[in-house]
Amino acid sequence: MSPSAALGPGASQVVGERQEALLEVDGLVVHYRITGAGKVFRKHETVHAVDGVSFDLAPRETLGLVGESGCGKSTTGRTVLYLERPTSGRVRFEGRDLSELTPGELTALRSRMQIVFQDPIGALNPRHTVGQLISEPLRVHDLVPKARRRERVEELLGLVGLPADAASRFPHEFSGGQCQRVGIARAIAAEPALLVLDEPVSSLDVSVQAQILQLLVDLQERLGLAYLFIAHDLAVVGEMSDRVAVMYLGKIVEIAERDALYARPHHPYTQALFSAVPVPDPAVRTGRDGAVVSGEVPSSLSPPPGCRFHTRCPLAQERCRAEEPSLEPVGQGHEVACHFAEAAATARPFGRLATDG
Amino acid sequence: MLALRLQGCGPDQGPSDGRADVVLSYLLQRVLSLLFVLLLATVGIFAMMHSVPGGPFAFSQGDLTKVAMHNIMAKYGLTEPVWRQYLNWIWQLMHGYLGIPFEEPTMTVNHLIATAWPITLIIGGLTIAVSYSLGLLLGVVAAIRHNTWVDSLITAVVSTAGIALPNYVIGFLLIEVFAVKLGWLPVGGWGSPADVVLPVIAFSLYPLALMERYTRASTLEVTYADYVRMGRARGLSGRRILFNYVLRTSLIPLITIMGPNIPNILTGSIFIEATFGLPGLGSYFTNASLHRDYPLIMALVLIVAALWGACYIISDLAYAIVDPRVRLEGLSR
Amino acid sequence: MTTVQVQLEPAKRASTSFWHAAWYRYRRNRLSVVAGAVALVILVVAVVAPWVAPYREATIDLTHVLARPTWHHWLGTDEIGRDTLTRLIWGDQTSMSVAIGAPLVGALIGLPLGILGGWFGGALDWVVLRLIELFTMVPTILAALLFITVFGVSVWKLALFIGITLWVGFARLARAQYLALRDRDFVQAARAGGVPTWRIILVHILPNAAGPVIVYFVQQIPYTIFTAAGFSFLGLGIQDPTPDWGKMINDAETYLATDPLLVFVPVVAIALACLSFSFVGDGLRDALDPTSK
Amino acid sequence: MTDDLAGARVGPEGTGAGAAPLLEVRGLRVAFPLERRTVYAVQGLTFEVHAGERLGIVGESGSGKSVSAQSIMRMVPFPGKVTGGQVLFEGRDLLGIPDAAIRSVRGSKIGMVPQNPLSSLNPVITIEAHFREVLSRHLGLSRSEARVRAVELLGSVGIPDPAQRLHEYAHRLSGGQRQRVIIALAIACRPRVLIADEPTTALDVTIQAQILQLFDELVAGANLGAVLITHNLGIVAAHCDRVVVMYAGRVMETAPVVELFRSPSHPYTVGLLRCVPRVAMHKARVFATIPGLPPQVTELRDGCPFAPRCDRVSEQCRRETPALADIAPGHALACWNPVTDAAARAEAASV
Amino acid sequence: MSEEHPEVVRPTGRNGLPDMSRRNFLAAGGLGAAGLLLGGRAGSLFESHLRDVAKARVASASKVLGLAPAQMQFYSTYNNSVGQTYKALDFYETVYSRAPNADLFNIGLVRLNNNFKLVPGAAQSWSQTSPTTWEFKIRPGIMWSDGNELTAKDFVETFRYSADPKHAWDFSWYWSGIIKNYTEAVAGKAPLSSLGVGVGKDKYTFVVTTEAPIAYMPNAMLYSYPLSAAGLAKYGNGLYNIDPATCITCGPYTLRTFDPTAHVVLQPNRKYTAPFKPYIQYPIAKIYSGTYQVPLFETGEVDTVQSAPPNTQDGSLYKSDLETVKTMPKINKLPVYMNPQDFRIYYVAFKTKKKPFTDPRVRQAFAHAVNRQALISSLLAPVAVPAYGYLAPGYPFAVSKPLEKYTNYDTRLAQKLLADAGYPGGKNFPTTTLSYPAAEVLSSTLTGSVVQALVATWNAVLFNGNPTILLQELDNTTFYSKMEAHPTQLDMAFCTYGMDYFDASNMLSVYKSGGRHDWDNAQYDNLLAQGAAQSNPAKRQEIYTEAQTLLTKDAPGVFLWHGLYAFLYWPFVQGPALAKNDLGYDGVEWPGYISDMPEQLWIGSNYRSYPRAGAGGLI
């Protein structure tokens, strides 16, 4: 594939054999201009939040989007819903290009794609009751006649495992996990086809985390939802996703079927992530027998040239500093953006991975 | 020197090139925008003043005949169309000349301000010194003794004195007690050092109360910050924690809160000046307005506006200097 | 394991809405409760002034000028024989009309402007900011003088004039609130849910911005009482024969040495009103913003 | 460092030569009297830490683990109060000594690494000033000595170009770097004990790995006694020698780390282990959960706090509080109906 | 207090003089003054041939009078500068904005004595040489401080300067219609040289030509403090006197300090040669912008509180101030001096050209519905007397008692008149606003009280208690610009007027057609013209009585009261100037410094017994 593949239409070829993608994201770029210091007049600087991301998502499928903070995964999630307008690139949902829709059409389409946020409490308007919160999509999209709304709200509450009397309460009366249930209830109230889950469990306690993940799995089965599951935790992503995309500094560095990726991660960064996951087994002492990835994520204001990971990659060569790798297939539906993908997969620069064992 | 201490921006927010340039560009933008607004303000005030019934000589000159009135108006250039007068004013202004006050035509406005403003500045400067320092002290003490009787006492007394009574009422009471009944201090007027005492007290109470409240709130907020706890966890002494950790950060926001109050104080209070018979800038404000003294009003507006603009810019810069986290953001706020 | 039913703790109170919680927090502050009661009395008296005042507001009795308190005149009379208690009660109505009316005007002008600037940003925000600067620059006293000279003065006009000088604060506050709330998750969630912009602004953000605005509003009340009294002091305030506390002080100041009660009564009234509204404001601030100390 | 070594050092009985523990907490109780109720955050916490040992305190939010750490330094936030127990450091009860004395222990004998590195450095003083004030207060170093030492310390925690960094303010550093600075500050005066309260929660996984690696190195290098507070069992497994599992302000189970993971006996420990998401080869569709929520204890009542969520609950659990009792050397448990089923244990330990 | 300090001069006789005869008193005063000149420090004050007089005589004279040592001969007065600005020091520079004590600078042609009788000033004598010509003989030998002699030329140049349109003098109406070609000159339609002023047969003769026969010309000449012709020529205007360096005067004083916001201090003119010699060496006007007359006086900050700004009602002591004085033990036993100053009238003017005030019965109804006595006794006493006509008792040609019947308090008559005019019981009477000028900053709001009482009475008596007459307070500028507009924009206006010179023609001309108010009455205009030309006092009295009767009967305004002014002096301020005059008034009367007061007022040596703040470094 040509270096410009990330921006071109060819990106969808990756999953070319699968038909009827629910969501197609093509060469998505989101840049923010911020006011920087400047000589006499303000100089604008650009945050490269998302820099050419392409993927697609089939109905009922879960795509995990994993990466560290600032890699652009949340921005991607929001831009997919057109909560933010992309600087360039295309988002097609159910075959319609979102950029071509009128604001009214977009609003109408929003009932088909919903989002669940990381901070369960912050995502709920503290001044509204749970009932108001859940019935709002019903009202806005006029999905259910007014008389039936209450009934529907109770139904939804039941669906996410909350008692009916929760409807009259306010978010602050609930724990984080319960709030997340409310957030999910609100998201599914509009009967969406796609749910963007933006780190839905990362602020929850482990015992509660599992409850929410279970709920999400159940709902997917019952309602036939597609999930774009955003997380920084490979373990959680691994438990939820059919396919996983790894992002680094605004780009997808590796995307593959879940099992393929977990079995044999190619990109050194993916491997670094795997190696860093703490494993609840004293026998597996991650990072002790292998090297921990060094350094930190560079500033997204001036991403490094060439391969963006080269500053931290133990395998980096001259070519990595100069030439930006594009996503290349290394297997069935498995693409890696690394000049030395195959070598890296074998070299295992970060030693033992969490999956090993 | 000033510019060099400015920090650029956060770790992931790119280069912090040209710190002096940041200040320069910030200043340029602010000043330009302020000038623009100032121009609007002067046009507005000029137009409004001329639409008010009665001219500058309507009352004070008694039963003037039409002809005599015309003579006077002509003498001060008031027979010209208003737009023309405005342009004349702007032209004079650009030469640093503010015209002749109709109320004191034996002086220029520049001279009048040069004689009246120092009085206001002395009162205002002392007021700022007294109220800000005392308010700060009381606020900090109240915050340290949070939830104790000391806190309640300070807050109650300061609020009552500073917030519950108009300052001229306090002025009356002070005069009644300290000048008339006790005879310790002059009733009013200007000349001896004793003349400043009562006006400064009366004028200080409100800003003092403000300062106390803001300081207390801000200090309390910082008292529970993570880094203060960490300072304690490193075994630092209470005094060090108070000065280097709590106050050093808690007082920073006060710059932006109390800074813009400074022009109000430095341009004087009509109430204080009238109560104590001080021939300061504030009293000219009322007289000029009541007597339609256009050049004087325009000059006073200019002073207030310019001072206000300057205080805003300075407090912004000061904020950026004392708080390394802050970036100058051009035209926001 | 598939359907997990969550147990809710039994509700301790019928409903613990935000406002109930705020009311609970407010009630804890004894000073604010007392101040609230005083403020309430002041407001109620203002409303029922025509029925509780012992005399008509403009009743003049030249045979009883500067009378000491008697059974007929509980607080004595003023220099033209008007009952001080009557004037105090009627003055309450006037003063409170201005004290509440002016912040109301300020809020009505300032909030929409601040909201527009804060929510939409860009050029609109630029204009709002310049307007704010413009109004901050022009000295309040001068603006009010000009207004009053051009349009004359009445209770409602005074409220309007002072209100016009107050809008800047409301606009600043609303702008800051909307800027802060604009990027909050729940607003994003509403947008994601396809909620129309007007509904987000009014139904989602406004109630959340209400706390600081209410607090600011209450804090402006003492300020307004001051300012109105100041205008009376300059001879530009409420006009005779309408009674007004500021005017009462100004009129009575001449009699400070001979009839101190005449000054004392309105001074106490103003102080009480300012203090009570100020403490109510403090109480509300703590109650509406649980994180503040 | 091997499992065997860690196991050998663990526990009062297991400790070689009966060396006195560096830090010993006995029956610690902390309560927060709030307006309407009192939260009993810690109820009788007991543990000890030896030199070179890394003690993990693990629990969910509200389990009282952070408060425990704070009370060791006598820094329970207002309105919390230590209502009972002892904190013995080198044989001295820190809860009883005067304020001045505790101040000279803090930062000097016991170092602390907080949860949120982003807000834990004074934003208006430079990194150098942070070092200077600690070094001059506890070690009486001069300005220039302090600078030299600070550069050394920053270098030792892996901050590149340390001399340059000294002049920076905290906000110019990344989260990972800030945490390194804080660690450097914590060890600046060569403390005997290091308390790390969720030191990596706010950090990315790759940085987390770096910081934990640093933590291990420091503990080993200086033979510190370390307390690592975390909710992440994965971190416990990799970076602790002994574990205390807390729930609702009480110790549920304590054991050497290998022992705990090999044979978890408390139903809560078992449940917790089963809930932990793992990087597995295949996608999971069924998740192990503990129903209900971690409680906040607002009244003192007899009975096991975990009883409402426990699948092995009996009448006794609701009536009587189980005492912490040894079931094996170094392995203590507070449970009436411990998990003994090897299969269940095995399932919990590795899914 | 007077027991403790027997030297305090208190009027005891009927004519207000102490036991010592007036002549003796003056002689002693003259001696004392002379002695002071010698006794003064820093060289003698006046270059006088009295230098040879023995010091013993000085001492004795001082003893007789109880005079203070020379350096204590300052006198400070209170001036309220709120709303008042002081632009210059010369009458012919500005009238309304001239600084306090300015009139002490120069000597006018004529002066008044204590009893308002015209006495020679710079002019020794004057005569009407033709019906339209007056000649004033200037006393030779009066020197300007720049060494020139005062001559008729100075007066000619002063008058010409006053009519100069470029100068735009604010008092030019005063001479309009009196001095020939004055109106035209002010309008720029006639050259200044055509003005009816000139030098007569010698340089000491000042000739004034009038438009019409003017009988009261010498009275009008009270305002003739000259500017120096040399000064005018050199500086082009009269502002040279605001700077001590360029100040040129022919009076007893020159300028020491001019600070229009704080104080005006005069000092002796060393070149002064005129025969009128004051005792006070340093008249100091302290200018305060507060209302603390009484406290300032009480603390000894000023020697007297005395202030009567020309156009405001405020500045003197009120009933309330006098009540306050009673609470102050240090001063509550001091005598209060009372006099009418400018014989001020307070009244409500109607817009007579607009219904319902076109009907004289309506106006009369309002006039009869006011209980002046009650108003005064409860609000104003003792500083007011009821007004039935426009002229105050004691003012030339004033009649009062005979006018009472036209305007006395008679509610039935008032109601009947209103009913006759078509408004029985006040029905159908349009709601009308009474406007009044706002008090200046911080000044007393007496006006507000009075108008409220007025309006309340009218509404009660005429309108059955319905609020038909409303009140409107306007700031001064707006009020006067609206009131004096032609046609006036105020239906009812509360106004006041004080005299400019001591003759009925002055006050009465306010109601001339085309004057201040919109009332036109040909008969009245005719009477005024006759009165102005008539030189026989008895006949003038007849004419002016008729004019006053007409004015009161037709009631273009409701005349309410004449103001009196109350003054306090510390007992060390002494002299016959304070004694009761023929009209029964005491204290320094109008026109103060242009009367013979300076020679009749001094500081007694008993000043040490009182709290005197001192001159505060001003001298």
Side-chain angles (χ1 to χ4, degrees), chain B residues 67, chain E residues 163 165 176 179-191 194 211:
Chain B
V67 178
Chain E
S176 286
I179 295 176
K180 199 168 185 315
N181 279 340
Y182 201 89
T183 312
E184 291 76 5
V186 168
K189 290 179 186 138
S194 70
E211 296 268 7

Side-chain angles (χ1 to χ4, degrees), chain B residues 9 11 226 234-235 244-245, chain D residues 119 122 133 137-138 171-172:
Chain B
C9 42
D226 280 347
R234 285 194 285 274
N244 246 13
Y245 279 65
Chain D
S119 61
N122 189 339
E133 56 188 17
R137 159 128 179 90
H138 295 302
H171 72 277
R172 300 269 302 153

Side-chain angles (χ1 to χ4, degrees), chain A residues 68 205 207 211 214 288 296, chain D residues 60-61 174 206 216 287 290:
Chain A
E68 291 178 285
D205 274 319
S207 64
Q211 295 170 9
Q214 187 64 57
R288 285 218 164 166
E296 298 186 0
Chain D
E60 293 180 282
S61 51
S174 68
T206 57
D216 287 346
F287 295 84
I290 305 173

